[in-house]
Amino acid sequence: MARKTRSKATKLQLVWPFFFILFIHCLAIFLFTRGFLLTRTELPHFSNCSDVSHSPCFDSSSIDSSTSPSSFSSSAPAQESNATCWTKPAVDRLVIIVFDALRFDFVAPSSFFPEKKPWMDKLKAIQKLAAEAGSSARIFKAIADPPTTSLQRLKGLTTGGLPTFIDVGNSFGAPAIVEDNFIHQLVENGKRVVMMGDDTWLQLFPHHFEKSFPYPSFNVKDLDTVDNGCIEHLIPSLHDGNWDVLIAHFLGVDHAGHIFGVNTMPMIQKLEQYNSIVEEVVEALTSQSEPGGLHENTLLVVMGDHGQTLNGDHGGGSPEEVETSIFAMSFKNATFSLPPELDSVSCGLNADAKPLCVGTVEQLDFAVTMSAMLGVPFPFGSIGRVNPQLYSLGAGDFLSQGIQVEGHENDSNIMRWMQPYVNALCVNAWQVKRYIDVYSASSVIGFPSEDLLHVAEMYSVAQENWMHVVKGSLSHMNESCPSSFSAIKKQIDMYAQFLDSVIGLARSKWTEFNLKLMVVGLSIIFLSLLVQVVAIKRVDTFYESSLSTRCPQASVGLVFSMFAVIIRASSFLSNSFILEEGKVALFFLGTSVIFELRNSFKKANMLLETASLLLLVTALRFIMESGLSKQATNLSSISSILGIARDHPFWIYLSSIVSMLALFSLAYLLLKYIRSNSCQRVQKYVISGSILCYALIASHWILDSELLNLSVTLQYIGRSHIPRVIYAVGIVQLVVLVINQLLIRKRTLYHQNDLASRTIAMLSAWSSAIILLSGKQGSVVALTTVGAAYCIFRLENLWQAATDGTSSNISFYSLPTTQWSLLAVVLFFCSGHWCAFDGLRYGAAFVGFDEFKLVRQAILLAIDTFGFSHLLPIFGLPLLVSQRHSINQKKETKLSLSAQLSQIYLIYGFIVTSSVACMVLCVTIQRRHLMVWGLFAPKYVFDVVGLILTDFLICLGALYYIDPVEDDSKQN
């Protein structure tokens, strides 16, 4: 009985440090995240019509002057259906069509770009309308603020505020917006809003729509359901007068990008479909735009919420992701030209060689501009500016009213537009100043006092000019003199400078950081490094009867490993090295191989393994460069060298053949292993199940291929049923291995292949699902990984031969474990991922399934994201121990084997924690960096999630691989 108690105590002593380290890291990350990812304070204030009476723009003497552009009604919400609330309405109805992930070059003519691409000039209807002489239609380049996830952009578009990074985590379950927003103001002021398409709108605004036709948005493999739903309801709704604002959100382009990429036929087909939709919408609106018609004064806005990369990803802050498009068209028959001072455009030719000009607008300005045009209060927290180019499209309503000035029609039109616009800017500036004051008073930190004084002074000067100069100019309604124009133009410039200054201040100082929590969290993370060092040394000293003394030759590997870990961790202080993290890790891995190559030549031993590993490292670099990562050069350079187009079927056939050969090679290696090694029967069954799954994966690729004209039934079986069978087999394999480990305690103590067999069985059980989710490149990455891993643990023999098994675990395992961790980092990038939210391969979440279920899809996405970089490396670590144990099995006890397993996991965890600790330090230092939300914050999120996952998997691995053992005296 005492012997059994000692057995359990020994395993507990080996395992409990891993759970303690996991707890420390969870606490540190919780505290740091609470300090770093605090959102801006969302104020519980809402704008009302009566608020404007407190502004300097309000003129009580002109309340009854309904024809005066400068009149503002301070109250009376029932007065003419809020016809004059904060601003004079410029349009009666608004149609907003959102084409998700609409790149700027999808809309703008190809002549605006250095090279014409296949996806350009597909939306010819928009280009034609914008190029027509006298048309009230304009194309804009719209600039979004990162992160460019759909949820973030919809919040930014409707609230007029800058994004809060923490909301990215809610992208799969959007909470209702609680702060003031454009949709709320529409409903509160009697506007009827109808929505159709992406159901994210209904999650953000659950009780705001008169009618809604939502469709599920997360199945990125479905290109048509949401779009078809929009088409079904859009055109009939345009003939129905029971709405004031209509929103239709299409998702086909976004999904086509995620699954296929930009330069593909599905994307081009979607753009052509959207072109037809725009034509139908414009035709329906035009047919009812005659005087007195339903859409006489309707504004059409066709826009994207963000862009996308050529790979179809978005979420980051690259120009491709933040640059999208807005097309706006007024159906009020009135031509108007903006003053050149307010109309900064770039001009070129459209596809029909007609001149076309494109303006630029910040998405931040959308909410306040639309509010001004519809005559509803601006959202309380908006910091955007009423955009003059968009606002001018509603000038038709202003030009049809007022007194004509003979002989100066164009000057008169400009003055009659500038008067309501400068009034709108006055209200806009007052509203932003009010918000900044309230925010600074309510927020924990707010803005620095010197910055507040600067913007307050700018506002004070602008308002003084308004009170003493501009109001007098506005009173001359029948004059169009140069002095009036000059005064108004100067006032517009002053307001614009003030608003730009506030936006710049908000962008640089917006997020509130709790430095105390950040420092405490950072300190705990660095403290955990000390804990891990103590734990590593503890295993060395506690089990010194099983472990031998140090060897100077093996210590050279320890010094090199420490150097590599420190330099790589320090590289995170540079944003450039973060962007190239995969290549940096690959460089260190290659350097370590060259370091071993020198030792291999010196001893004339393991030359083949060293050369093979160096070759495999080169292969990994090629995989990383062949189109599977954000920094990839794709296959364009190879295509140009070979003279074969990138979309040529040759590449499709080649990739399929290479993937199949890699898959068959993996199956052959597993089959060879179970034939040449004496494994337990359960382990043989598990490995055989993986071979069967590899065959199913090959069948899945064949049946799901578009190259073969297979029946719909066979395609559905290959697309849906086969992946589900693979998942089921994988779950059964894992359950069987766990039950076998729990129930079968008696193992042959010195069985050479016991640990290796358990490890390979566990890896094979995970591999099927990971390869399936990774796509056809998964088998190639897996085969390369197997080769590299084999070479790494074979090269242990270099040190084994030099030390004759007399080195300590720390010295002996430092170099191979460091190589193992670097390989894990490289695999993350080689499998098509990177540390940004657009680096998630959302299509993997729907392999085998069409409908969206949050938990299931989240699990599949997590396996795809962290399978090659975390699951396989951590569960495969015992192979390093099994290699040494198989050589020295007569010299080492089972206690020694368990101690080595414990220590190698501690060393691996220490290496990962070192990198994450430096990353957290970097984020703390760079918290005010320009790229903090576009680069550093996503990197932080991926790293800390990876650290927690690493700790958790190490705990599972320790429980699975470390057996209850007795001390040496009881074993003999």
Side-chain angles (χ1 to χ4, degrees):
M1 187 69 179
R3 181 172 179 173
K4 185 176 182 180
T5 303
R6 169 60 179 168
S7 170
K8 291 183 178 179
T10 303
K11 178 171 182 176
L12 180 62
Q13 289 173 338
L14 287 170
V15 170
W16 76 263
F18 300 115
F19 289 91
F20 181 64
I21 291 168
L22 173 61
F23 169 76
I24 293 177
H25 287 164
C26 288
L27 177 63
I29 290 169
F30 172 77
L31 293 175
F32 187 89
T33 303
R34 287 292 300 270
F36 175 58
L37 293 185
L38 287 176
T39 62
R40 58 182 169 82
T41 303
E42 294 185 348
L43 303 180
H45 302 290
F46 294 82
S47 299
N48 296 295
C49 278
S50 59
D51 294 346
V52 77
S53 62
H54 303 294
S55 77
C57 315
F58 177 72
D59 185 0
S60 59
S61 64
S62 62
I63 292 179
D64 297 327
S65 304
S66 59
T67 61
S68 172
S70 60
S71 65
F72 298 100
S73 175
S74 63
S75 56
Q79 190 179 45
E80 293 184 6
S81 301
N82 297 318
T84 53
C85 184
W86 278 26
T87 58
K88 186 175 181 61
V91 297
D92 299 328
R93 294 174 184 269
L94 176 63
V95 178
I96 301 175
I97 298 177
V98 180
F99 291 148
D100 208 291
L102 189 72
R103 286 167 57 103
F104 176 59
D105 57 5
F106 286 169
V107 177
S110 57
S111 60
F112 282 70
F113 306 95
E115 182 182 357
K116 182 175 181 179
K117 300 293 185 180
W119 60 84
M120 295 180 180
D121 297 330
K122 300 304 176 185
L123 295 175
K124 293 183 179 180
I126 289 178
Q127 296 182 13
K128 181 179 179 181
L129 291 167
E132 285 182 356
S135 171
S136 296
R138 297 286 297 272
I139 292 175
F140 300 90
K141 176 193 288 187
I143 309 299
D145 288 285
T148 48
T149 58
S150 293
L151 169 65
Q152 295 284 73
R153 291 296 80 238
L154 293 183
K155 286 194 69 173
L157 284 167
T158 55
T159 63
L162 291 174
T164 51
F165 182 83
I166 198 66
D167 289 334
V168 175
N170 296 320
S171 293
F172 288 100
I177 295 179
V178 296
E179 59 182 323
D180 198 5
N181 59 81
F182 175 54
I183 303 298
H184 171 82
Q185 288 299 335
L186 290 174
V187 175
E188 286 297 306
N189 289 275
K191 303 293 184 182
R192 300 159 297 175
V193 185
V194 173
M195 186 281 302
M196 57 198 68
D198 185 351
D199 62 353
T200 303
W201 285 89
L202 207 60
Q203 299 173 41
L204 294 173
F205 311 102
H207 309 294
H208 293 74
F209 300 116
E210 187 85 7
K211 292 181 182 178
S212 61
F213 306 96
Y215 296 89
S217 58
F218 293 120
N219 187 357
V220 294
K221 296 177 67 177
D222 185 353
L223 307 186
D224 301 314
T225 298
V226 177
D227 290 0
N228 292 340
C230 287
I231 294 170
E232 178 184 354
H233 298 287
L234 178 56
I235 302 302
S237 297
L238 295 178
H239 296 280
D240 181 8
N242 296 325
W243 56 269
D244 299 294
V245 177
L246 186 149
I247 301 170
H249 192 141
F250 292 76
L251 286 175
V253 161
D254 179 64
H255 290 184
H258 281 305
I259 299 300
F260 303 103
V262 171
N263 191 14
T264 59
M265 280 306 300
M267 178 65 75
I268 293 173
Q269 291 169 357
K270 270 294 163 188
L271 292 173
E272 291 174 344
Q273 180 189 25
Y274 285 0
N275 186 67
S276 301
I277 292 170
V278 172
E279 289 178 338
E280 291 184 44
V281 169
V282 171
E283 182 180 354
L285 293 174
T286 303
S287 65
Q288 304 171 80
S289 63
E290 70 281 353
L294 185 62
H295 298 299
E296 177 189 5
N297 195 21
T298 295
L299 179 70
L300 169 66
V301 176
V302 179
M303 63 186 300
D305 53 347
H306 51 74
Q308 58 178 299
T309 65
L310 291 179
N311 293 330
D313 304 308
H314 59 87
S318 69
E320 292 176 308
E321 295 165 277
V322 300
E323 292 180 1
T324 181
S325 303
I326 290 181
F327 167 76
M329 179 179 181
S330 172
F331 291 86
K332 189 82 171 180
N333 293 324
T335 59
F336 172 72
S337 298
L338 268 179
E341 299 88 345
L342 300 175
D343 195 18
S344 57
V345 296
S346 58
C347 298
L349 300 176
N350 68 357
D352 298 326
K354 293 184 178 180
L356 186 152
C357 295
V358 174
T360 302
V361 61
E362 297 279 345
Q363 277 195 356
L364 196 65
D365 302 338
F366 181 80
V368 66
T369 304
M370 293 299 107
S371 296
M373 296 184 75
L374 286 167
V376 299
F378 306 163
F380 186 89
S382 171
I383 58 171
R385 178 180 65 160
V386 179
N387 183 270
Q389 296 166 305
L390 268 175
Y391 192 76
S392 68
L393 295 177
D397 192 57
F398 303 136
L399 303 187
S400 62
Q401 304 174 17
I403 302 173
Q404 296 287 341
V405 179
E406 295 182 4
H408 300 280
E409 182 177 356
N410 186 57
D411 293 341
S412 174
N413 287 343
I414 292 176
M415 285 298 296
R416 279 185 286 135
W417 174 82
M418 289 183 70
Q419 289 167 355
Y421 179 65
V422 74
N423 279 315
L425 272 187
C426 178
V427 177
N428 189 184
W430 163 78
Q431 167 260 324
V432 171
K433 179 64 167 57
R434 176 184 67 166
Y435 170 66
I436 292 298
D437 290 341
V438 174
Y439 182 87
S440 298
S442 305
S443 177
V444 177
I445 299 176
F447 296 106
S449 56
E450 59 272 16
D451 292 324
L452 286 176
L453 287 174
H454 175 67
V455 297
E457 183 180 354
M458 293 183 68
Y459 180 75
S460 177
V461 172
Q463 287 307 125
E464 184 178 354
N465 188 72
W466 166 268
M467 297 296 295
H468 294 91
V469 179
V470 178
K471 272 195 171 183
S473 299
L474 293 178
S475 63
H476 301 287
M477 291 296 298
N478 298 328
E479 299 179 9
S480 180
C481 57
S483 60
S484 298
F485 176 85
S486 176
I488 296 176
K489 175 63 177 62
K490 180 180 178 182
Q491 187 66 40
I492 290 174
D493 290 340
M494 296 178 76
Y495 282 141
Q497 291 173 8
F498 162 73
L499 292 169
D500 289 342
S501 179
V502 171
I503 292 172
L505 173 63
R507 282 200 171 106
S508 62
K509 306 290 186 182
W510 192 264
T511 302
E512 300 175 3
F513 298 110
N514 189 324
L515 280 178
K516 292 182 179 179
L517 285 178
M518 292 175 67
V519 170
V520 171
L522 179 62
S523 301
I524 294 176
I525 290 180
F526 276 98
L527 180 63
S528 72
L529 289 173
L530 180 61
V531 172
Q532 287 172 301
V533 170
V534 172
I536 293 171
K537 295 295 295 181
R538 170 181 171 272
V539 176
D540 241 356
T541 56
F542 190 78
Y543 299 101
E544 59 183 357
S545 60
S546 303
L547 305 176
S548 304
T549 58
R550 291 176 177 79
C551 173
Q553 289 179 324
S555 298
V556 176
L558 175 61
V559 172
F560 178 86
S561 300
M562 292 177 62
F563 174 79
V565 170
I566 292 172
I567 296 299
R568 178 176 176 268
S570 302
S571 69
F572 293 137
L573 294 172
S574 167
N575 61 303
S576 298
F577 281 108
I578 293 177
L579 286 171
E580 303 292 344
E581 181 185 3
K583 296 176 183 178
V584 172
L586 197 61
F587 168 79
F588 282 114
L589 180 59
T591 304
S592 69
V593 178
I594 295 174
F595 173 74
E596 289 193 313
L597 184 62
R598 173 184 172 275
N599 199 25
S600 181
F601 271 115
K602 184 178 179 180
K603 302 181 185 304
N605 189 19
M606 296 291 174
L607 286 172
L608 178 61
E609 286 82 354
T610 311
S612 298
L613 183 55
L614 194 59
L615 184 63
L616 288 168
V617 168
T618 306
L620 288 171
R621 177 60 184 266
F622 176 78
I623 292 173
M624 192 180 294
E625 290 288 347
S626 63
L628 304 181
S629 70
K630 193 172 188 178
Q631 294 82 25
T633 56
N634 294 310
L635 296 175
S636 56
S637 58
I638 304 175
S639 301
S640 60
I641 294 173
L642 298 178
I644 304 175
R646 186 168 178 255
D647 57 351
H648 194 278
F650 168 79
W651 295 113
I652 301 176
Y653 284 111
L654 180 63
S655 63
S656 299
I657 292 172
V658 171
S659 299
M660 288 290 188
L661 289 176
L663 194 62
F664 292 149
S665 299
L666 290 170
Y668 171 75
L669 291 175
L670 288 180
L671 184 62
K672 182 179 179 181
Y673 179 82
I674 59 176
R675 285 182 175 178
S676 59
N677 293 273
S678 55
C679 306
Q680 287 188 8
R681 184 175 298 177
V682 170
Q683 295 163 358
K684 286 186 177 181
Y685 288 153
V686 169
I687 296 174
S688 299
S690 297
I691 296 174
L692 172 63
C693 286
Y694 291 167
L696 291 175
I697 293 174
S699 302
H700 165 72
W701 291 343
I702 294 172
L703 295 177
D704 196 40
S705 175
E706 297 181 356
L707 299 176
L708 303 177
N709 295 322
L710 300 175
S711 65
V712 176
T713 303
L714 286 176
Q715 289 182 347
Y716 181 77
I717 291 174
R719 185 175 63 252
S720 299
H721 292 299
I722 291 180
R724 296 177 190 179
V725 172
I726 295 172
Y727 299 146
V729 172
I731 293 172
V732 171
Q733 288 175 303
L734 293 174
V735 171
V736 167
L737 288 175
V738 172
I739 293 175
N740 180 65
Q741 177 68 8
L742 291 175
L743 299 182
I744 302 177
R745 296 289 187 180
K746 294 181 180 180
R747 302 180 183 275
T748 305
L749 182 60
Y750 298 118
H751 196 294
Q752 177 177 336
N753 294 320
D754 180 55
L755 181 60
S757 298
R758 278 192 287 161
T759 306
I760 291 174
M762 176 61 71
L763 294 177
S764 66
W766 280 107
S767 65
S768 302
I770 294 173
I771 292 173
L772 173 67
L773 294 173
S774 299
K776 291 184 178 180
Q777 75 267 23
S779 60
V780 179
V781 175
L783 183 61
T784 309
T785 304
V786 169
Y790 175 79
C791 292
I792 289 174
F793 70 72
R794 282 285 295 163
L795 287 174
E796 290 181 28
N797 292 338
L798 277 176
W799 305 109
Q800 192 75 32
T803 63
D804 194 24
T806 59
S807 65
S808 71
N809 285 350
I810 302 175
S811 298
F812 184 82
Y813 286 121
S814 57
L815 183 58
T817 307
T818 302
Q819 291 176 324
W820 202 271
S821 67
L822 291 172
L823 177 62
V825 174
V826 170
L827 291 177
F828 179 79
F829 293 91
C830 286
S831 56
H833 302 92
W834 51 90
C835 294
F837 294 102
D838 56 335
L840 296 173
R841 299 176 63 254
Y842 297 103
F846 295 92
V847 175
F849 302 97
D850 293 327
E851 66 280 3
F852 175 80
K853 292 185 178 179
L854 180 60
V855 175
R856 181 181 64 200
Q857 263 60 54
I859 292 173
L860 293 178
L861 186 61
I863 293 174
D864 172 70
T865 304
F866 299 107
F868 277 113
S869 59
H870 290 72
L871 284 168
L872 296 183
I874 292 173
F875 283 121
L877 260 178
L879 290 174
L880 298 180
V881 176
S882 67
Q883 170 69 12
R884 185 185 189 190
H885 179 62
S886 64
I887 294 175
N888 299 290
Q889 56 180 347
K890 294 183 179 180
K891 299 180 181 179
E892 297 178 352
T893 64
K894 196 171 185 181
L895 177 58
S896 172
L897 177 62
S898 298
Q900 291 177 62
L901 280 171
S902 175
Q903 199 165 57
I904 198 172
Y905 271 130
L906 286 169
I907 295 172
Y908 188 89
F910 175 82
I911 293 172
V912 175
T913 306
S914 300
S915 298
V916 176
C918 286
M919 183 64 228
V920 175
L921 176 63
C922 169
V923 168
T924 305
I925 296 173
Q926 306 282 17
R927 64 187 182 278
R928 294 298 182 188
H929 194 279
L930 181 64
M931 299 179 68
V932 62
W933 303 123
L935 178 64
F936 293 107
K939 171 62 177 169
Y940 166 77
V941 171
F942 273 83
D943 273 13
V944 296
V945 170
L947 177 61
I948 296 300
L949 183 61
T950 297
D951 290 338
F952 179 71
L953 292 176
I954 286 177
C955 290
L956 294 182
L959 289 173
Y960 178 75
Y961 290 117
I962 298 177
D963 290 320
V965 293
E966 294 86 7
D967 60 359
D968 293 351
S969 62
K970 293 185 179 295
Q971 291 182 53
N972 295 329

